[in-house]
Amino acid sequence: MKTPKLIFVLSSLFLLTFVSSIYPQFGQNKVQYKEFKWKFIQTKHFDVYFSQGGQYVGEFAAVVAESSLASLSKNFDYHISNRIPLVI
């Protein structure tokens, strides 16, 4: 009869140790706010927003967006009525 009690005590100690090793990690993944300096490129149909250091990617996205819209307009007779914001 002492063996089941010993197993119960040892398993309880193991679980308490396991849970207590996980619990101190709670709350360490806090949101860290960072200031972004947003810039934008305005094309005929799009406003492409990008953060600091993203000038090249923003220009590339603007060119691709305009050419894709031209292709959609031609192939599917699709036209937009408002400007479309793109956040890069």
Side-chain angles (χ1 to χ4, degrees), residues 3-77:
T3 304
K5 289 182 182 180
L6 180 64
I7 291 173
F8 176 74
V9 169
L10 289 177
S11 62
S12 298
L13 287 174
F14 174 74
L15 286 175
L16 286 174
T17 305
F18 181 71
V19 170
S20 66
S21 66
I22 292 175
Y23 185 71
Q25 295 176 0
F26 179 77
Q28 291 183 359
N29 294 331
K30 294 181 181 176
V31 177
Q32 298 179 4
Y33 296 99
K34 185 177 179 183
E35 287 279 328
F36 288 103
K37 297 189 179 186
W38 292 98
K39 298 179 182 179
F40 72 98
I41 298 172
Q42 202 168 32
T43 65
K44 186 175 179 181
H45 299 102
F46 295 95
D47 292 330
V48 181
Y49 295 91
F50 56 92
S51 62
Q52 188 175 8
Q55 179 77 27
Y56 176 75
V57 176
E59 290 172 357
F60 176 76
V63 170
V64 170
E66 284 293 337
S67 66
S68 297
L69 182 62
S71 176
L72 286 172
S73 296
K74 178 184 167 191
N75 294 332
F76 296 108
D77 194 32

